[in-house]
Amino acid sequence: MKPVIEIKNLHAEYRVGREKTVALGGISLRTYKGEIFGFIGPNGAGKTTTINILLGFMYPTNGNAVIFGEKSSSIRNRFRIGYLPEIAYYYPFLTPFKILTMYGKLFRINKTILNNRIDSVLATVGLTEKKNTPIRNLSKGMSQRLGLAQAIINDPEVLILDEPNSGLDPIGKREMRDIILDLKNKGKTIFFSSHQLSEVELICDRVGIIDRGQILKTEKLDQIVGKIDTKQTLLEDIFIRMIKDKRA
Amino acid sequence: MRAAWIIAKNVIEESIRKKEIYVLFILSIAMMSVVAMASFFSLTGLVKYFIELSFLIITYITVIIAVVVGARQLPVELNSRTIYPLMAKPLKRSEFIIGKWLGTSIISTFCFLVFEGIFIILLFSKGSSVSGILIQGIFLHILQLMLISSIVICLSAFMTNAANVTVSILYFILGHWIGKAISDMLDKCGTFLAWILKSINYILPHLDYFDLSKKIVHGWPPVPAWVIITVTIYAVVYISIFLLIGTLKFQRRQL
Ligand SMILES: Nc1ncnc2c1ncn2[C@@H]1O[C@H](COP(=O)(O)OP(=O)(O)O)[C@@H](O)[C@H]1O
Ligand SMILES: [Mg+2]
């Protein structure tokens, strides 16, 4: 099967003044159609860097990232991708309705279809009541929901979500999980990053574990989980042990 | 180009929600009213003074609006991280730059036309009328606002908001009021530095081409059409160059 996302030998570095940080030391991974891929690793592992390269915000020093068989960040691909940034703020002077209209128009969605789509994505993320509230008056959790709404406004085939759970309370996490599962059921391919391996990550079909710019392991979640009996409590421990072993 | 227009509308929406434009609006209308009243009470040369000072005020204020609005666009998008969800959409970096320029040009032109409207009403109230050269002057200043917007948007890919505002305003003042004096001075001294400065002066657009204020004040007849056409082409060429440089720089930039 042809992968939807294919990352090959990706190298990336940051330069701040004279200092150079190697953020990615040659990572490779693949994500297939219809699967939920969890990109898991501690803070500073290189997850956001990888995603930023996928979207064309950053340029790799070596290697390449491909989506649907072409340069991952091509304009054509962007019509088919939904992206939730790790931290994003949305124009505070707009309302959810206005910002979704603006983004929807960039996707060239026809006006009547767009209006229906806006109502439906706002309902999905539970922001219907805030449709016309200035974004500056939304809480942090609501902003995160708006982030998800804008990520699905174009009914994308691939979702790239950078730490979708960060900043969400337990109920929010549960809702996020349900939304992601629902998207999977609609045949979407989902690539999301997380710095923890807890209950929510159980929905992944496969996980890639990244630490210090290197992929430690890519495997089916049940292969990791299968090694222990009581799932949830120990997952986090396995994750930590795996990283510690490699670092040692 | 539809994407650029969407970005331009966002610039306009942002400016409407911010207060600074209203402050500049009130300030300039207040200044024009003072000038209008002052020349009302004096006896001679009154209309001339009114026209001259009003034009000066309107020119400066609208250039400041273009610079302030244009310079903050890219830095604010970056600092507030609104650029990330935006650039993940099917939007080329060139369309982003063009859209920001278009929005800045429209905002400053709109303010300019409102000021001119008030100015013309005051002019009528003094028994004067709208001359052909005034219409040409208005047209050339709109071109100038578009050109300055392109310079500011281009510079925003290279420098911070504050540096950009400083450089752009300085460039406007130098280009307009002492550019001629400087180039005459440089002609007289033949050093290498003078030669470099002269070359820079030669390469950069000459803003005084867009200034008809003296002719308007002294009631000249309209300038020939070919002059207006040439200056228009001149502006279009420079605007394209600045937007191209800005786009190339922004394309290379990692977000
Ligand atoms: N803008 C930046 N400037 C310099 N270094 C950075 C920058 N962003 C990230 N890094 C460094 O790159 C590495 C990977 O960071 P990142 O991809 O953000 O990790 P993650 O998303 O997994 O937490 C870290 O060492 C981090 O310190
Ligand atoms: Mg991150």
Side-chain angles (χ1 to χ4, degrees):
Chain A
M1 197 163 59
K2 264 180 81 177
V4 173
I5 302 176
E6 184 164 29
I7 290 170
K8 274 193 227 153
N9 189 33
L10 213 55
H11 285 77
E13 56 195 41
Y14 290 96
R15 279 171 200 280
V16 179
R18 289 196 162 190
E19 217 148 297
K20 193 174 89 176
T21 313
V22 176
L24 296 177
I27 66 160
S28 300
L29 54 86
R30 290 167 167 206
T31 305
Y32 295 93
K33 182 166 166 46
E35 77 173 351
I36 303 181
F37 186 91
F39 193 37
I40 320 283
N43 284 327
K47 304 180 297 295
T48 298
T49 304
T50 307
I51 289 175
N52 284 352
I53 291 171
L54 277 174
L55 289 152
F57 301 156
M58 249 189 95
Y59 309 121
T61 48
N62 206 344
N64 63 346
V66 167
I67 297 181
F68 297 122
E70 62 180 277
K71 187 173 182 245
S72 62
S73 60
S74 72
I75 293 287
R76 198 144 42 127
N77 271 341
R78 286 194 237 161
F79 278 100
R80 306 165 77 178
I81 296 174
Y83 162 64
L84 173 69
E86 180 174 18
I87 318 162
Y89 297 94
Y90 301 92
Y91 305 106
F93 51 91
L94 294 181
T95 61
F97 174 73
K98 282 195 166 169
I99 200 164
L100 292 173
T101 303
M102 175 185 169
Y103 290 151
K105 283 184 178 164
L106 286 171
F107 284 112
R108 301 190 196 155
I109 305 171
N110 152 304
K111 193 158 190 176
T112 37
I113 295 175
L114 180 57
N115 282 339
N116 290 333
R117 186 81 61 75
I118 289 173
D119 286 339
S120 112
V121 297
L122 285 177
T124 304
V125 302
L127 271 186
T128 304
E129 252 130 70
K130 303 289 174 186
K131 184 174 173 182
N132 295 311
T133 306
I135 292 173
R136 75 166 65 81
N137 298 338
L138 299 185
S139 72
K140 201 176 159 222
M142 289 174 190
S143 273
Q144 189 83 347
R145 286 157 189 268
L146 177 60
L148 188 62
Q150 63 83 30
I152 56 177
I153 190 70
N154 56 328
D155 194 20
E157 292 162 65
V158 183
L159 275 126
I160 298 174
L161 313 173
D162 198 357
E163 307 256 2
N165 293 321
S166 70
L168 291 183
D169 58 17
I171 298 170
K173 283 185 187 175
R174 176 64 63 95
E175 286 173 352
M176 181 65 78
R177 191 186 74 169
D178 293 343
I179 292 171
I180 293 175
L181 273 177
D182 190 49
L183 290 166
K184 176 192 159 78
N185 289 336
K186 286 180 181 152
K188 316 287 185 199
T189 307
I190 294 142
F191 180 98
F192 79 88
S193 75
S194 178
H195 64 270
Q196 53 193 11
L197 192 57
S198 56
E199 191 194 357
V200 190
E201 284 68 33
L202 280 175
I203 58 172
C204 298
D205 297 302
R206 286 191 309 132
V207 292
I209 300 201
I210 180 174
D211 185 38
R212 298 178 175 184
Q214 299 284 350
I215 297 275
L216 301 186
K217 205 166 227 163
T218 310
E219 61 184 339
K220 288 223 165 85
L221 191 67
D222 43 24
Q223 284 173 348
I224 297 182
V225 176
K227 290 170 192 157
I228 20 109
D229 322 315
T230 41
K231 294 180 184 176
Q232 278 116 327
T233 44
L234 283 176
L235 264 175
E236 195 83 48
D237 296 343
I238 295 176
F239 173 50
I240 291 167
R241 207 184 313 138
M242 196 185 294
I243 286 170
K244 274 193 179 150
D245 286 351
K246 283 279 175 172
R247 283 188 183 179
Chain B
M1 272 315 100
R2 214 164 82 178
W5 174 239
I6 295 166
I7 301 301
K9 278 205 294 200
N10 190 247
V11 174
I12 296 166
E13 180 111 28
E14 184 226 24
S15 303
I16 292 170
R17 310 269 165 212
K18 290 224 170 182
K19 309 244 156 32
E20 83 242 282
I21 286 211
Y22 300 103
V23 174
L24 289 171
F25 238 95
I26 293 166
L27 193 72
S28 49
I29 288 169
M31 288 199 291
M32 259 158 66
S33 312
V34 170
V35 173
M37 266 185 311
S39 57
F40 182 78
F41 287 118
S42 67
L43 289 172
T44 49
L46 53 206
V47 177
K48 262 187 191 172
Y49 273 124
F50 169 69
I51 295 176
E52 188 167 8
L53 279 171
S54 296
F55 226 80
L56 194 72
I57 293 164
I58 294 173
T59 304
Y60 264 87
I61 299 270
T62 50
V63 166
I64 289 171
I65 289 173
V67 170
V68 167
V69 170
R72 71 159 175 253
Q73 293 306 321
L74 183 56
V76 167
E77 292 262 9
L78 286 167
N79 290 341
S80 67
R81 297 175 164 271
T82 48
I83 195 130
Y84 294 95
L86 182 66
M87 295 315 292
K89 308 290 181 282
L91 169 72
K92 292 186 193 128
R93 299 233 177 157
S94 56
E95 292 169 327
F96 177 90
I97 292 287
I98 292 169
K100 292 296 191 185
W101 164 75
L102 193 61
T104 307
S105 301
I106 291 173
I107 281 288
S108 52
T109 299
F110 174 77
C111 293
F112 175 59
L113 290 178
V114 172
F115 291 150
E116 274 312 315
I118 296 167
F119 168 74
I120 288 171
I121 290 169
L122 289 172
L123 205 58
F124 278 135
S125 76
K126 291 175 174 304
S128 187
S129 64
V130 177
S131 56
I133 188 110
L134 177 63
I135 302 290
Q136 289 181 330
I138 290 173
F139 175 72
L140 289 190
H141 186 60
I142 292 174
L143 280 183
Q144 171 165 251
L145 288 173
M146 293 167 80
L147 174 59
I148 287 176
S149 300
S150 74
I151 294 175
V152 172
I153 296 294
C154 173
L155 289 180
S156 75
F158 292 86
M159 54 182 80
T160 63
N161 191 348
N164 191 350
V165 170
T166 313
V167 170
S168 303
I169 300 272
L170 265 180
Y171 175 63
F172 173 71
I173 295 172
L174 288 176
H176 248 277
W177 306 106
I178 42 178
K180 184 80 175 70
I182 288 180
S183 91
D184 288 349
M185 207 173 72
L186 292 174
D187 273 337
K188 292 203 180 81
C189 54
T191 62
F192 184 61
L193 184 69
W195 184 82
I196 290 179
L197 288 174
K198 249 173 65 181
S199 312
I200 292 173
N201 185 41
Y202 191 74
I203 294 167
L204 292 175
H206 289 219
L207 296 178
D208 46 334
Y209 293 173
F210 300 93
D211 185 8
L212 289 183
S213 58
K214 296 248 153 42
K215 297 189 174 70
I216 293 168
V217 171
H218 297 294
W220 282 36
V223 298
W226 68 264
V227 174
I228 302 288
I229 292 168
T230 311
V231 175
T232 306
I233 294 169
Y234 182 84
V236 170
V237 168
Y238 268 109
I239 289 169
S240 312
I241 291 171
F242 284 117
L243 293 181
L244 182 68
I245 296 172
T247 299
L248 290 176
K249 176 68 184 173
F250 183 47
Q251 268 167 350
R252 216 153 284 178
R253 179 164 193 159
Q254 315 223 23
L255 301 179

